[in-house]
Amino acid sequence: MLLRLSGSLREALGTRRRQPVDEWVAGGNGSEAEHLFLRATTLFRTGDGETAIRLLRQAIAIAPAFSDAIEAEGEALDMGGDPAAAAARYDEARRLRQVGRPGAPDRHFVLRQQGSHTAEIVAYTRVLKSLKKFALPHLARGNAYLADRQPELALADYDRALKLHPNSLDALALKGEALSALGQHAAAIEALDRVIAARPKDAEALNARGIAHMALGHVDQANGDWRQQLGLLAGRPAASAYVALRLADYAVALPHLEAMVRNDRRDPYWALYLGTALLRLERPLSDRETVDGDSWVSSLLALQAGKASESEVMARADTAARRAEALFQLGVAAHARDRSAARSYWQQVVATGLPTLVEYAAARNELARSAS
């Protein structure tokens, strides 16, 4: 429902970039690239396309993955009579929005989004100039902030939405997500408890509460939420696979993973997680496939197959999330021959990984299982 309503707001705006933005602080922190983007879009509306393109290119030089700025440059080139160059910029923006790991399919739809949401934030801020007393624009902008990984700003909008509409379970559930993202897990659980009491079959709220419980080490409570969620996901193999992986229930995950490897060739993590389930079930690996254009997942697949070393994989782990993924897979690879080493790797995942990662939950469950 919220997605449809947010879409209606965008339609009411006509075009998302043709709104004044003078009261909005870019990204909440005034980054130079975002300020250049906002100045460029304002100039473009006044007809100064040449200067707009120059400023957009400056923004892109600072932030090469700023897909909104690249798309805006395409629009300016299109209006300036250069459709071939515009098409290239549109293609580049589209490509950038597809880069990176997709959001986990078992989570709230807002958190499954990729890419920059600067333009949406600008548009909703403009709407709020005249609709401050309505909850929906606050909720919509909060969603854009949350999708843009700015939970503090999202939380402020959700609180304003709840002041205007205190009984909004949607706003309360999203507030729980924002609190959890800020590390305020106990407060998140309190908010999500109220949502689930009113909507016991809210699969996404159960998922969020499970993540918050697991972050606090409440393994049984987290697993209880995820098992309830799993029972609500009939016919959704992607989400079911992720929930089962969080539970480290590889037998349940296996058929869902097999289905996703057959049906979704775009996401290389399905092949990786299928290998994870097979190894933990002590079954032979299926035919190893190369993953085009994703050297990171290819390196983890090589680790599973015994063709890459720990040092090689860890040298490629260039983000905290990738480090957690690598450590988890090292634990999986070690488990059959050295369970103490496997536990050590999984303890590092729990010590350093984000609670939202499927590897974090799976590692906690592996450790709890080995301790019992």
Side-chain angles (χ1 to χ4, degrees), residues 10 62 227 236 271-272 306 335:
R10 284 196 294 272
I62 295 167
R227 291 204 179 279
R236 294 176 57 191
L272 176 68
H335 186 266

Side-chain angles (χ1 to χ4, degrees), residues 175-198:
K175 177 179 179 176
E177 292 278 16
L179 287 165
S180 193
L182 288 166
Q184 299 177 36
H185 301 297
I189 291 168
E190 183 180 346
L192 292 161
D193 281 346
R194 291 167 57 195
V195 174
I196 294 166

Side-chain angles (χ1 to χ4, degrees), residues 119-305:
E120 284 84 350
I121 294 166
V122 172
Y124 294 133
T125 299
R126 175 66 181 114
V127 170
L128 282 166
K129 288 184 177 181
S130 55
L131 296 176
K132 289 183 179 179
K133 294 184 179 179
F134 290 83
L136 180 58
H138 291 290
L139 191 56
R141 189 175 65 174
N143 289 351
Y145 277 133
L146 191 62
D148 217 37
R149 307 302 184 259
Q150 299 186 69
E152 187 172 359
L153 294 170
L155 180 60
D157 271 337
Y158 295 143
D159 278 335
R160 282 190 285 269
L162 284 165
K163 285 181 181 178
L164 294 164
H165 190 180
N167 297 321
S168 172
L169 294 175
D170 292 322
L172 189 60
L174 288 157
K175 177 179 179 176
E177 292 278 16
L179 287 165
S180 193
L182 288 166
Q184 299 177 36
H185 301 297
I189 291 168
E190 183 180 346
L192 292 161
D193 281 346
R194 291 167 57 195
V195 174
I196 294 166
R199 296 194 308 214
K201 294 186 177 181
D202 188 328
E204 292 171 339
L206 286 164
N207 179 273
R209 191 172 69 176
I211 287 171
H213 272 306
M214 193 61 92
L216 294 173
H218 305 161
V219 176
D220 289 342
Q221 293 96 317
N223 289 346
D225 281 339
W226 289 329
R227 291 204 179 279
Q228 285 187 63
Q229 183 188 16
L230 196 57
L232 298 169
L233 293 176
R236 294 176 57 191
S240 296
Y242 265 66
V243 176
L245 286 168
R246 291 186 196 278
L247 291 162
D249 192 335
Y250 304 108
V252 170
L254 184 61
H256 300 300
L257 291 167
E258 289 172 334
M260 293 310 301
V261 167
R262 287 193 305 269
N263 299 333
D264 184 0
R265 309 292 293 183
R266 298 167 301 172
D267 186 350
Y269 279 89
W270 295 124
L272 176 68
Y273 287 149
L274 176 59
T276 302
L278 290 169
L279 285 171
R280 288 296 292 112
L281 293 169
E282 300 183 355
R283 299 186 189 182
L285 293 173
S286 57
D287 293 338
R288 298 279 83 185
E289 301 179 31
T290 59
V291 181
D292 294 337
D294 197 316
S295 61
W296 169 244
V297 177
S298 292
S299 68
L300 294 179
L301 288 168
L303 176 69
Q304 288 184 344

